[in-house]
Amino acid sequence: MNRKLIAIDLDGTTLNNQSAISPFTKQVLQTAVASGHIVSIVTGRPYRISRQYYDELGLHSAMINFNGSLGHLPHHQWRHEYQYTIDRDIALDLLAHQSSLGIETIAAENKTNVWANHASDGTIDFFPTILQPQQILNAQNLTTDPTALTLYFNEQHRDQLIHDITARYGNHIDMNVWGGRWPVLEVAHKGVEKATGLEFLAQTYRIDRNDIIAFGDEGNDHAMISYAGWGVAMANGIDDLKAIAQDVTSLDNDHDGLAHYLLDYLNLPVALAKAE
């Protein structure tokens, strides 16, 4: 079998419902790497809350954060690293109009820094729970263009918020609304998506598109699943993603669906015991 590039989303895919990597999933992914394949995390999460999973898996491959806006090699200075950004003025304009737009929390960040209008209560771990004075989002602290913006908004303002942001900045940014129960909007550089990061990985590691297998579960995985030679939607994934995927796992993320699928797809060593 040719060497594969295995692109794995985190939430709802590699992580179980407790936001953890099960021992079985860890074992399968590490066995895939030991067998010569490349495993890369491709996530909407910022680096600050995804690097622990990278380290837990013991990966040495490049990682994609912010839905394709950041590609880097964790713990290393890397000449191939890239980062797409959003004009600083957009973040500050959103901040100035947050009340009328129905925005409750706004976070701006890049690979190493995060700024927010206030600390989070921890309900959603994408937002920082502790802020130093220099991390308060304002014109004095935000002196550079951020890589991504994350907005927690009043659900009643959803349609109006999307309309207003599109009208104000639609030529410069793209948006992704989270699935599930939390009204959260991710804002990124225009035209950047997970497929951007996946194409970068394929070119960097000289992997043919047909040798890419990608796993995802939500709307922000659509472009990645479409780009991959073999796109796999999770059993717990949204119907729109299942409709364009080449296959769907038989088990969900809380029952090692990704790991079981890879075990069979890659024909990994039979000595690797399947989880109960």
Side-chain angles (χ1 to χ4, degrees), residues 59-95:
L59 297 177
H60 300 284
S61 54
M63 181 179 188
I64 306 298
N65 289 103
F66 300 118
N67 289 319
S69 290
L70 169 66
H72 61 116
L73 190 63
H75 311 303
H76 294 277
Q77 294 290 328
W78 194 38
R79 63 186 179 91
H80 299 295
E81 180 173 319
Y82 75 84
Q83 194 162 196
Y84 290 95
T85 59
I86 301 167
D87 193 309
R88 164 182 176 271
D89 290 341
I90 293 178
L92 296 177
D93 192 54
L94 284 169
L95 181 65

PDB file of all heavy atoms in Angstrom, residues 59-95:
ATOM      1  N   LEU A  59       3.107  12.935  17.718  1.00  0.00           N
ATOM      2  CA  LEU A  59       3.263  13.233  16.297  1.00  0.00           C
ATOM      3  C   LEU A  59       4.494  14.088  16.024  1.00  0.00           C
ATOM      4  O   LEU A  59       4.946  14.854  16.882  1.00  0.00           O
ATOM      5  CB  LEU A  59       2.019  13.957  15.770  1.00  0.00           C
ATOM      6  CG  LEU A  59       0.703  13.170  15.836  1.00  0.00           C
ATOM      7  CD1 LEU A  59      -0.455  14.033  15.345  1.00  0.00           C
ATOM      8  CD2 LEU A  59       0.788  11.876  15.021  1.00  0.00           C
ATOM      9  N   HIS A  60       5.009  13.969  14.789  1.00  0.00           N
ATOM     10  CA  HIS A  60       6.127  14.797  14.342  1.00  0.00           C
ATOM     11  C   HIS A  60       5.811  15.437  12.990  1.00  0.00           C
ATOM     12  O   HIS A  60       6.706  16.001  12.360  1.00  0.00           O
ATOM     13  CB  HIS A  60       7.406  13.961  14.243  1.00  0.00           C
ATOM     14  CG  HIS A  60       7.827  13.346  15.551  1.00  0.00           C
ATOM     15  ND1 HIS A  60       8.424  14.079  16.556  1.00  0.00           N
ATOM     16  CD2 HIS A  60       7.700  12.085  16.019  1.00  0.00           C
ATOM     17  CE1 HIS A  60       8.668  13.272  17.593  1.00  0.00           C
ATOM     18  NE2 HIS A  60       8.234  12.068  17.302  1.00  0.00           N
ATOM     19  N   SER A  61       4.578  15.346  12.593  1.00  0.00           N
ATOM     20  CA  SER A  61       4.140  15.890  11.310  1.00  0.00           C
ATOM     21  C   SER A  61       3.642  17.317  11.482  1.00  0.00           C
ATOM     22  O   SER A  61       3.428  17.790  12.606  1.00  0.00           O
ATOM     23  CB  SER A  61       3.017  15.020  10.747  1.00  0.00           C
ATOM     24  OG  SER A  61       1.977  14.884  11.715  1.00  0.00           O
ATOM     25  N   ALA A  62       3.436  18.000  10.359  1.00  0.00           N
ATOM     26  CA  ALA A  62       2.880  19.350  10.406  1.00  0.00           C
ATOM     27  C   ALA A  62       1.433  19.295  10.876  1.00  0.00           C
ATOM     28  O   ALA A  62       0.754  18.273  10.762  1.00  0.00           O
ATOM     29  CB  ALA A  62       2.970  20.000   9.030  1.00  0.00           C
ATOM     30  N   MET A  63       0.974  20.421  11.405  1.00  0.00           N
ATOM     31  CA  MET A  63      -0.357  20.527  11.975  1.00  0.00           C
ATOM     32  C   MET A  63      -1.068  21.727  11.366  1.00  0.00           C
ATOM     33  O   MET A  63      -0.438  22.756  11.081  1.00  0.00           O
ATOM     34  CB  MET A  63      -0.235  20.699  13.493  1.00  0.00           C
ATOM     35  CG  MET A  63      -1.526  20.799  14.261  1.00  0.00           C
ATOM     36  SD  MET A  63      -1.124  20.969  16.037  1.00  0.00           S
ATOM     37  CE  MET A  63      -2.742  20.828  16.764  1.00  0.00           C
ATOM     38  N   ILE A  64      -2.374  21.598  11.155  1.00  0.00           N
ATOM     39  CA  ILE A  64      -3.181  22.683  10.612  1.00  0.00           C
ATOM     40  C   ILE A  64      -4.168  23.138  11.676  1.00  0.00           C
ATOM     41  O   ILE A  64      -4.920  22.339  12.226  1.00  0.00           O
ATOM     42  CB  ILE A  64      -3.952  22.232   9.352  1.00  0.00           C
ATOM     43  CG1 ILE A  64      -2.997  21.640   8.311  1.00  0.00           C
ATOM     44  CG2 ILE A  64      -4.748  23.399   8.782  1.00  0.00           C
ATOM     45  CD1 ILE A  64      -1.957  22.595   7.791  1.00  0.00           C
ATOM     46  N   ASN A  65      -4.165  24.441  11.961  1.00  0.00           N
ATOM     47  CA  ASN A  65      -5.089  25.033  12.928  1.00  0.00           C
ATOM     48  C   ASN A  65      -5.960  26.092  12.269  1.00  0.00           C
ATOM     49  O   ASN A  65      -5.723  26.484  11.127  1.00  0.00           O
ATOM     50  CB  ASN A  65      -4.320  25.667  14.082  1.00  0.00           C
ATOM     51  CG  ASN A  65      -3.667  24.643  14.990  1.00  0.00           C
ATOM     52  OD1 ASN A  65      -2.452  24.428  14.922  1.00  0.00           O
ATOM     53  ND2 ASN A  65      -4.453  24.004  15.829  1.00  0.00           N
ATOM     54  N   PHE A  66      -6.971  26.548  13.015  1.00  0.00           N
ATOM     55  CA  PHE A  66      -7.855  27.616  12.549  1.00  0.00           C
ATOM     56  C   PHE A  66      -8.474  27.292  11.187  1.00  0.00           C
ATOM     57  O   PHE A  66      -8.565  28.155  10.312  1.00  0.00           O
ATOM     58  CB  PHE A  66      -7.100  28.949  12.466  1.00  0.00           C
ATOM     59  CG  PHE A  66      -6.519  29.442  13.760  1.00  0.00           C
ATOM     60  CD1 PHE A  66      -5.146  29.603  13.908  1.00  0.00           C
ATOM     61  CD2 PHE A  66      -7.332  29.743  14.841  1.00  0.00           C
ATOM     62  CE1 PHE A  66      -4.596  30.077  15.090  1.00  0.00           C
ATOM     63  CE2 PHE A  66      -6.789  30.221  16.034  1.00  0.00           C
ATOM     64  CZ  PHE A  66      -5.422  30.381  16.154  1.00  0.00           C
ATOM     65  N   ASN A  67      -8.885  26.038  10.995  1.00  0.00           N
ATOM     66  CA  ASN A  67      -9.563  25.645   9.753  1.00  0.00           C
ATOM     67  C   ASN A  67      -8.754  25.965   8.498  1.00  0.00           C
ATOM     68  O   ASN A  67      -9.300  26.351   7.466  1.00  0.00           O
ATOM     69  CB  ASN A  67     -10.939  26.303   9.657  1.00  0.00           C
ATOM     70  CG  ASN A  67     -11.929  25.720  10.630  1.00  0.00           C
ATOM     71  OD1 ASN A  67     -11.976  24.515  10.835  1.00  0.00           O
ATOM     72  ND2 ASN A  67     -12.735  26.581  11.253  1.00  0.00           N
ATOM     73  N   GLY A  68      -7.444  25.800   8.596  1.00  0.00           N
ATOM     74  CA  GLY A  68      -6.595  25.997   7.418  1.00  0.00           C
ATOM     75  C   GLY A  68      -5.809  27.286   7.400  1.00  0.00           C
ATOM     76  O   GLY A  68      -4.963  27.482   6.522  1.00  0.00           O
ATOM     77  N   SER A  69      -6.042  28.176   8.361  1.00  0.00           N
ATOM     78  CA  SER A  69      -5.360  29.473   8.338  1.00  0.00           C
ATOM     79  C   SER A  69      -3.927  29.418   8.862  1.00  0.00           C
ATOM     80  O   SER A  69      -3.142  30.340   8.607  1.00  0.00           O
ATOM     81  CB  SER A  69      -6.155  30.506   9.153  1.00  0.00           C
ATOM     82  OG  SER A  69      -7.355  30.832   8.489  1.00  0.00           O
ATOM     83  N   LEU A  70      -3.580  28.363   9.575  1.00  0.00           N
ATOM     84  CA  LEU A  70      -2.227  28.211  10.117  1.00  0.00           C
ATOM     85  C   LEU A  70      -1.716  26.807   9.832  1.00  0.00           C
ATOM     86  O   LEU A  70      -2.369  25.820  10.171  1.00  0.00           O
ATOM     87  CB  LEU A  70      -2.220  28.463  11.630  1.00  0.00           C
ATOM     88  CG  LEU A  70      -0.933  28.102  12.392  1.00  0.00           C
ATOM     89  CD1 LEU A  70       0.218  29.001  11.952  1.00  0.00           C
ATOM     90  CD2 LEU A  70      -1.151  28.208  13.902  1.00  0.00           C
ATOM     91  N   GLY A  71      -0.558  26.732   9.190  1.00  0.00           N
ATOM     92  CA  GLY A  71       0.124  25.456   8.984  1.00  0.00           C
ATOM     93  C   GLY A  71       1.520  25.548   9.554  1.00  0.00           C
ATOM     94  O   GLY A  71       2.290  26.457   9.192  1.00  0.00           O
ATOM     95  N   HIS A  72       1.879  24.638  10.447  1.00  0.00           N
ATOM     96  CA  HIS A  72       3.161  24.757  11.146  1.00  0.00           C
ATOM     97  C   HIS A  72       3.632  23.403  11.657  1.00  0.00           C
ATOM     98  O   HIS A  72       2.889  22.412  11.635  1.00  0.00           O
ATOM     99  CB  HIS A  72       3.033  25.735  12.315  1.00  0.00           C
ATOM    100  CG  HIS A  72       2.029  25.303  13.357  1.00  0.00           C
ATOM    101  ND1 HIS A  72       2.380  25.004  14.656  1.00  0.00           N
ATOM    102  CD2 HIS A  72       0.687  25.097  13.286  1.00  0.00           C
ATOM    103  CE1 HIS A  72       1.295  24.651  15.342  1.00  0.00           C
ATOM    104  NE2 HIS A  72       0.252  24.712  14.526  1.00  0.00           N
ATOM    105  N   LEU A  73       4.860  23.380  12.113  1.00  0.00           N
ATOM    106  CA  LEU A  73       5.449  22.186  12.709  1.00  0.00           C
ATOM    107  C   LEU A  73       5.656  22.484  14.186  1.00  0.00           C
ATOM    108  O   LEU A  73       6.580  23.213  14.556  1.00  0.00           O
ATOM    109  CB  LEU A  73       6.784  21.844  12.034  1.00  0.00           C
ATOM    110  CG  LEU A  73       7.411  20.498  12.382  1.00  0.00           C
ATOM    111  CD1 LEU A  73       6.506  19.349  11.933  1.00  0.00           C
ATOM    112  CD2 LEU A  73       8.783  20.352  11.724  1.00  0.00           C
ATOM    113  N   PRO A  74       4.773  21.965  15.050  1.00  0.00           N
ATOM    114  CA  PRO A  74       4.864  22.289  16.476  1.00  0.00           C
ATOM    115  C   PRO A  74       6.248  22.040  17.065  1.00  0.00           C
ATOM    116  O   PRO A  74       6.923  21.068  16.714  1.00  0.00           O
ATOM    117  CB  PRO A  74       3.814  21.350  17.098  1.00  0.00           C
ATOM    118  CG  PRO A  74       2.793  21.192  16.014  1.00  0.00           C
ATOM    119  CD  PRO A  74       3.612  21.118  14.745  1.00  0.00           C
ATOM    120  N   HIS A  75       6.654  22.957  17.931  1.00  0.00           N
ATOM    121  CA  HIS A  75       7.914  22.880  18.688  1.00  0.00           C
ATOM    122  C   HIS A  75       9.145  23.125  17.824  1.00  0.00           C
ATOM    123  O   HIS A  75      10.271  22.880  18.279  1.00  0.00           O
ATOM    124  CB  HIS A  75       8.053  21.527  19.410  1.00  0.00           C
ATOM    125  CG  HIS A  75       6.845  21.119  20.183  1.00  0.00           C
ATOM    126  ND1 HIS A  75       6.307  21.902  21.173  1.00  0.00           N
ATOM    127  CD2 HIS A  75       6.054  20.003  20.105  1.00  0.00           C
ATOM    128  CE1 HIS A  75       5.228  21.299  21.676  1.00  0.00           C
ATOM    129  NE2 HIS A  75       5.051  20.157  21.038  1.00  0.00           N
ATOM    130  N   HIS A  76       8.940  23.596  16.587  1.00  0.00           N
ATOM    131  CA  HIS A  76      10.075  23.831  15.692  1.00  0.00           C
ATOM    132  C   HIS A  76       9.900  25.138  14.924  1.00  0.00           C
ATOM    133  O   HIS A  76       8.782  25.544  14.608  1.00  0.00           O
ATOM    134  CB  HIS A  76      10.206  22.691  14.668  1.00  0.00           C
ATOM    135  CG  HIS A  76      10.554  21.365  15.267  1.00  0.00           C
ATOM    136  ND1 HIS A  76      11.839  20.984  15.579  1.00  0.00           N
ATOM    137  CD2 HIS A  76       9.755  20.330  15.623  1.00  0.00           C
ATOM    138  CE1 HIS A  76      11.829  19.764  16.097  1.00  0.00           C
ATOM    139  NE2 HIS A  76      10.578  19.350  16.132  1.00  0.00           N
ATOM    140  N   GLN A  77      11.023  25.773  14.609  1.00  0.00           N
ATOM    141  CA  GLN A  77      11.040  26.826  13.617  1.00  0.00           C
ATOM    142  C   GLN A  77      11.064  26.129  12.263  1.00  0.00           C
ATOM    143  O   GLN A  77      11.927  25.292  12.018  1.00  0.00           O
ATOM    144  CB  GLN A  77      12.288  27.706  13.796  1.00  0.00           C
ATOM    145  CG  GLN A  77      12.318  28.490  15.098  1.00  0.00           C
ATOM    146  CD  GLN A  77      11.284  29.597  15.125  1.00  0.00           C
ATOM    147  OE1 GLN A  77      10.954  30.171  14.090  1.00  0.00           O
ATOM    148  NE2 GLN A  77      10.759  29.899  16.309  1.00  0.00           N
ATOM    149  N   TRP A  78      10.121  26.464  11.415  1.00  0.00           N
ATOM    150  CA  TRP A  78       9.950  25.705  10.173  1.00  0.00           C
ATOM    151  C   TRP A  78       9.812  26.657   9.001  1.00  0.00           C
ATOM    152  O   TRP A  78       8.946  27.536   9.009  1.00  0.00           O
ATOM    153  CB  TRP A  78       8.717  24.816  10.302  1.00  0.00           C
ATOM    154  CG  TRP A  78       8.564  23.739   9.284  1.00  0.00           C
ATOM    155  CD1 TRP A  78       9.551  22.974   8.747  1.00  0.00           C
ATOM    156  CD2 TRP A  78       7.336  23.280   8.697  1.00  0.00           C
ATOM    157  NE1 TRP A  78       9.026  22.067   7.862  1.00  0.00           N
ATOM    158  CE2 TRP A  78       7.669  22.229   7.804  1.00  0.00           C
ATOM    159  CE3 TRP A  78       6.003  23.658   8.842  1.00  0.00           C
ATOM    160  CZ2 TRP A  78       6.704  21.557   7.055  1.00  0.00           C
ATOM    161  CZ3 TRP A  78       5.038  22.992   8.116  1.00  0.00           C
ATOM    162  CH2 TRP A  78       5.384  21.944   7.234  1.00  0.00           C
ATOM    163  N   ARG A  79      10.633  26.480   7.986  1.00  0.00           N
ATOM    164  CA  ARG A  79      10.626  27.422   6.862  1.00  0.00           C
ATOM    165  C   ARG A  79       9.356  27.334   6.032  1.00  0.00           C
ATOM    166  O   ARG A  79       9.045  28.257   5.272  1.00  0.00           O
ATOM    167  CB  ARG A  79      11.860  27.191   5.978  1.00  0.00           C
ATOM    168  CG  ARG A  79      11.938  25.827   5.300  1.00  0.00           C
ATOM    169  CD  ARG A  79      13.255  25.654   4.570  1.00  0.00           C
ATOM    170  NE  ARG A  79      13.374  24.355   3.922  1.00  0.00           N
ATOM    171  CZ  ARG A  79      12.989  24.123   2.668  1.00  0.00           C
ATOM    172  NH1 ARG A  79      12.461  25.093   1.954  1.00  0.00           N
ATOM    173  NH2 ARG A  79      13.143  22.916   2.133  1.00  0.00           N
ATOM    174  N   HIS A  80       8.606  26.234   6.162  1.00  0.00           N
ATOM    175  CA  HIS A  80       7.377  26.077   5.386  1.00  0.00           C
ATOM    176  C   HIS A  80       6.142  26.651   6.092  1.00  0.00           C
ATOM    177  O   HIS A  80       5.057  26.662   5.516  1.00  0.00           O
ATOM    178  CB  HIS A  80       7.124  24.589   5.098  1.00  0.00           C
ATOM    179  CG  HIS A  80       8.205  23.927   4.304  1.00  0.00           C
ATOM    180  ND1 HIS A  80       8.495  24.276   3.002  1.00  0.00           N
ATOM    181  CD2 HIS A  80       9.073  22.934   4.638  1.00  0.00           C
ATOM    182  CE1 HIS A  80       9.491  23.530   2.551  1.00  0.00           C
ATOM    183  NE2 HIS A  80       9.863  22.711   3.525  1.00  0.00           N
ATOM    184  N   GLU A  81       6.298  27.102   7.319  1.00  0.00           N
ATOM    185  CA  GLU A  81       5.141  27.584   8.082  1.00  0.00           C
ATOM    186  C   GLU A  81       4.429  28.728   7.360  1.00  0.00           C
ATOM    187  O   GLU A  81       5.069  29.593   6.759  1.00  0.00           O
ATOM    188  CB  GLU A  81       5.594  28.045   9.465  1.00  0.00           C
ATOM    189  CG  GLU A  81       4.466  28.558  10.350  1.00  0.00           C
ATOM    190  CD  GLU A  81       4.908  28.846  11.776  1.00  0.00           C
ATOM    191  OE1 GLU A  81       5.698  28.036  12.322  1.00  0.00           O
ATOM    192  OE2 GLU A  81       4.462  29.867  12.337  1.00  0.00           O
ATOM    193  N   TYR A  82       3.103  28.712   7.419  1.00  0.00           N
ATOM    194  CA  TYR A  82       2.329  29.795   6.826  1.00  0.00           C
ATOM    195  C   TYR A  82       1.232  30.222   7.793  1.00  0.00           C
ATOM    196  O   TYR A  82       0.830  29.486   8.680  1.00  0.00           O
ATOM    197  CB  TYR A  82       1.713  29.367   5.485  1.00  0.00           C
ATOM    198  CG  TYR A  82       0.516  28.447   5.604  1.00  0.00           C
ATOM    199  CD1 TYR A  82      -0.767  28.957   5.818  1.00  0.00           C
ATOM    200  CD2 TYR A  82       0.658  27.061   5.517  1.00  0.00           C
ATOM    201  CE1 TYR A  82      -1.867  28.116   5.929  1.00  0.00           C
ATOM    202  CE2 TYR A  82      -0.433  26.216   5.630  1.00  0.00           C
ATOM    203  CZ  TYR A  82      -1.697  26.751   5.834  1.00  0.00           C
ATOM    204  OH  TYR A  82      -2.786  25.918   5.967  1.00  0.00           O
ATOM    205  N   GLN A  83       0.731  31.427   7.579  1.00  0.00           N
ATOM    206  CA  GLN A  83      -0.347  31.948   8.415  1.00  0.00           C
ATOM    207  C   GLN A  83      -1.130  33.009   7.638  1.00  0.00           C
ATOM    208  O   GLN A  83      -0.557  34.013   7.218  1.00  0.00           O
ATOM    209  CB  GLN A  83       0.219  32.542   9.708  1.00  0.00           C
ATOM    210  CG  GLN A  83      -0.818  32.810  10.770  1.00  0.00           C
ATOM    211  CD  GLN A  83      -0.205  32.986  12.152  1.00  0.00           C
ATOM    212  OE1 GLN A  83      -0.919  32.909  13.146  1.00  0.00           O
ATOM    213  NE2 GLN A  83       1.083  33.204  12.259  1.00  0.00           N
ATOM    214  N   TYR A  84      -2.409  32.740   7.396  1.00  0.00           N
ATOM    215  CA  TYR A  84      -3.289  33.736   6.787  1.00  0.00           C
ATOM    216  C   TYR A  84      -3.880  34.592   7.902  1.00  0.00           C
ATOM    217  O   TYR A  84      -4.169  34.092   8.992  1.00  0.00           O
ATOM    218  CB  TYR A  84      -4.419  33.065   6.013  1.00  0.00           C
ATOM    219  CG  TYR A  84      -3.962  32.371   4.748  1.00  0.00           C
ATOM    220  CD1 TYR A  84      -3.678  31.009   4.748  1.00  0.00           C
ATOM    221  CD2 TYR A  84      -3.834  33.079   3.556  1.00  0.00           C
ATOM    222  CE1 TYR A  84      -3.266  30.363   3.588  1.00  0.00           C
ATOM    223  CE2 TYR A  84      -3.421  32.445   2.389  1.00  0.00           C
ATOM    224  CZ  TYR A  84      -3.139  31.089   2.410  1.00  0.00           C
ATOM    225  OH  TYR A  84      -2.728  30.454   1.272  1.00  0.00           O
ATOM    226  N   THR A  85      -4.080  35.866   7.625  1.00  0.00           N
ATOM    227  CA  THR A  85      -4.559  36.762   8.671  1.00  0.00           C
ATOM    228  C   THR A  85      -5.794  37.553   8.224  1.00  0.00           C
ATOM    229  O   THR A  85      -6.141  37.597   7.044  1.00  0.00           O
ATOM    230  CB  THR A  85      -3.459  37.753   9.094  1.00  0.00           C
ATOM    231  OG1 THR A  85      -3.055  38.524   7.962  1.00  0.00           O
ATOM    232  CG2 THR A  85      -2.263  37.021   9.675  1.00  0.00           C
ATOM    233  N   ILE A  86      -6.429  38.183   9.202  1.00  0.00           N
ATOM    234  CA  ILE A  86      -7.579  39.051   9.003  1.00  0.00           C
ATOM    235  C   ILE A  86      -7.161  40.467   9.383  1.00  0.00           C
ATOM    236  O   ILE A  86      -6.427  40.663  10.366  1.00  0.00           O
ATOM    237  CB  ILE A  86      -8.751  38.604   9.908  1.00  0.00           C
ATOM    238  CG1 ILE A  86      -9.145  37.160   9.598  1.00  0.00           C
ATOM    239  CG2 ILE A  86      -9.951  39.528   9.756  1.00  0.00           C
ATOM    240  CD1 ILE A  86     -10.053  36.555  10.648  1.00  0.00           C
ATOM    241  N   ASP A  87      -7.619  41.439   8.634  1.00  0.00           N
ATOM    242  CA  ASP A  87      -7.277  42.820   8.925  1.00  0.00           C
ATOM    243  C   ASP A  87      -7.662  43.171  10.362  1.00  0.00           C
ATOM    244  O   ASP A  87      -8.791  42.938  10.798  1.00  0.00           O
ATOM    245  CB  ASP A  87      -8.018  43.748   7.947  1.00  0.00           C
ATOM    246  CG  ASP A  87      -7.486  45.177   7.976  1.00  0.00           C
ATOM    247  OD1 ASP A  87      -7.379  45.752   9.079  1.00  0.00           O
ATOM    248  OD2 ASP A  87      -7.191  45.706   6.891  1.00  0.00           O
ATOM    249  N   ARG A  88      -6.723  43.710  11.086  1.00  0.00           N
ATOM    250  CA  ARG A  88      -6.930  44.115  12.473  1.00  0.00           C
ATOM    251  C   ARG A  88      -8.150  45.018  12.623  1.00  0.00           C
ATOM    252  O   ARG A  88      -8.881  44.949  13.624  1.00  0.00           O
ATOM    253  CB  ARG A  88      -5.663  44.815  12.963  1.00  0.00           C
ATOM    254  CG  ARG A  88      -5.765  45.627  14.226  1.00  0.00           C
ATOM    255  CD  ARG A  88      -4.419  46.280  14.520  1.00  0.00           C
ATOM    256  NE  ARG A  88      -4.470  47.154  15.693  1.00  0.00           N
ATOM    257  CZ  ARG A  88      -4.781  48.454  15.633  1.00  0.00           C
ATOM    258  NH1 ARG A  88      -5.085  49.004  14.457  1.00  0.00           N
ATOM    259  NH2 ARG A  88      -4.791  49.179  16.732  1.00  0.00           N
ATOM    260  N   ASP A  89      -8.391  45.879  11.643  1.00  0.00           N
ATOM    261  CA  ASP A  89      -9.500  46.820  11.727  1.00  0.00           C
ATOM    262  C   ASP A  89     -10.856  46.120  11.774  1.00  0.00           C
ATOM    263  O   ASP A  89     -11.817  46.650  12.342  1.00  0.00           O
ATOM    264  CB  ASP A  89      -9.465  47.791  10.546  1.00  0.00           C
ATOM    265  CG  ASP A  89      -8.306  48.772  10.636  1.00  0.00           C
ATOM    266  OD1 ASP A  89      -7.765  48.937  11.744  1.00  0.00           O
ATOM    267  OD2 ASP A  89      -7.940  49.351   9.602  1.00  0.00           O
ATOM    268  N   ILE A  90     -10.955  44.928  11.177  1.00  0.00           N
ATOM    269  CA  ILE A  90     -12.211  44.173  11.225  1.00  0.00           C
ATOM    270  C   ILE A  90     -12.496  43.745  12.661  1.00  0.00           C
ATOM    271  O   ILE A  90     -13.625  43.861  13.150  1.00  0.00           O
ATOM    272  CB  ILE A  90     -12.156  42.958  10.281  1.00  0.00           C
ATOM    273  CG1 ILE A  90     -12.104  43.437   8.826  1.00  0.00           C
ATOM    274  CG2 ILE A  90     -13.351  42.027  10.521  1.00  0.00           C
ATOM    275  CD1 ILE A  90     -11.996  42.317   7.810  1.00  0.00           C
ATOM    276  N   ALA A  91     -11.475  43.253  13.350  1.00  0.00           N
ATOM    277  CA  ALA A  91     -11.645  42.832  14.746  1.00  0.00           C
ATOM    278  C   ALA A  91     -12.069  44.005  15.611  1.00  0.00           C
ATOM    279  O   ALA A  91     -12.973  43.889  16.456  1.00  0.00           O
ATOM    280  CB  ALA A  91     -10.348  42.226  15.268  1.00  0.00           C
ATOM    281  N   LEU A  92     -11.441  45.145  15.404  1.00  0.00           N
ATOM    282  CA  LEU A  92     -11.751  46.311  16.229  1.00  0.00           C
ATOM    283  C   LEU A  92     -13.121  46.893  15.888  1.00  0.00           C
ATOM    284  O   LEU A  92     -13.818  47.399  16.776  1.00  0.00           O
ATOM    285  CB  LEU A  92     -10.664  47.366  16.056  1.00  0.00           C
ATOM    286  CG  LEU A  92      -9.266  46.944  16.546  1.00  0.00           C
ATOM    287  CD1 LEU A  92      -8.248  48.042  16.260  1.00  0.00           C
ATOM    288  CD2 LEU A  92      -9.287  46.591  18.030  1.00  0.00           C
ATOM    289  N   ASP A  93     -13.530  46.793  14.632  1.00  0.00           N
ATOM    290  CA  ASP A  93     -14.856  47.265  14.252  1.00  0.00           C
ATOM    291  C   ASP A  93     -15.941  46.371  14.847  1.00  0.00           C
ATOM    292  O   ASP A  93     -16.968  46.859  15.330  1.00  0.00           O
ATOM    293  CB  ASP A  93     -14.972  47.305  12.729  1.00  0.00           C
ATOM    294  CG  ASP A  93     -16.213  48.058  12.269  1.00  0.00           C
ATOM    295  OD1 ASP A  93     -16.396  49.208  12.689  1.00  0.00           O
ATOM    296  OD2 ASP A  93     -17.003  47.475  11.505  1.00  0.00           O
ATOM    297  N   LEU A  94     -15.720  45.059  14.833  1.00  0.00           N
ATOM    298  CA  LEU A  94     -16.659  44.132  15.476  1.00  0.00           C
ATOM    299  C   LEU A  94     -16.760  44.428  16.968  1.00  0.00           C
ATOM    300  O   LEU A  94     -17.842  44.389  17.560  1.00  0.00           O
ATOM    301  CB  LEU A  94     -16.219  42.689  15.255  1.00  0.00           C
ATOM    302  CG  LEU A  94     -16.478  42.100  13.870  1.00  0.00           C
ATOM    303  CD1 LEU A  94     -15.761  40.764  13.720  1.00  0.00           C
ATOM    304  CD2 LEU A  94     -17.974  41.917  13.634  1.00  0.00           C
ATOM    305  N   LEU A  95     -15.618  44.711  17.573  1.00  0.00           N
ATOM    306  CA  LEU A  95     -15.593  45.036  18.990  1.00  0.00           C
ATOM    307  C   LEU A  95     -16.404  46.310  19.266  1.00  0.00           C
ATOM    308  O   LEU A  95     -17.180  46.366  20.228  1.00  0.00           O
ATOM    309  CB  LEU A  95     -14.148  45.214  19.448  1.00  0.00           C
ATOM    310  CG  LEU A  95     -13.917  45.543  20.919  1.00  0.00           C
ATOM    311  CD1 LEU A  95     -14.351  44.380  21.805  1.00  0.00           C
ATOM    312  CD2 LEU A  95     -12.443  45.875  21.160  1.00  0.00           C
TER     313      LEU A  95
END
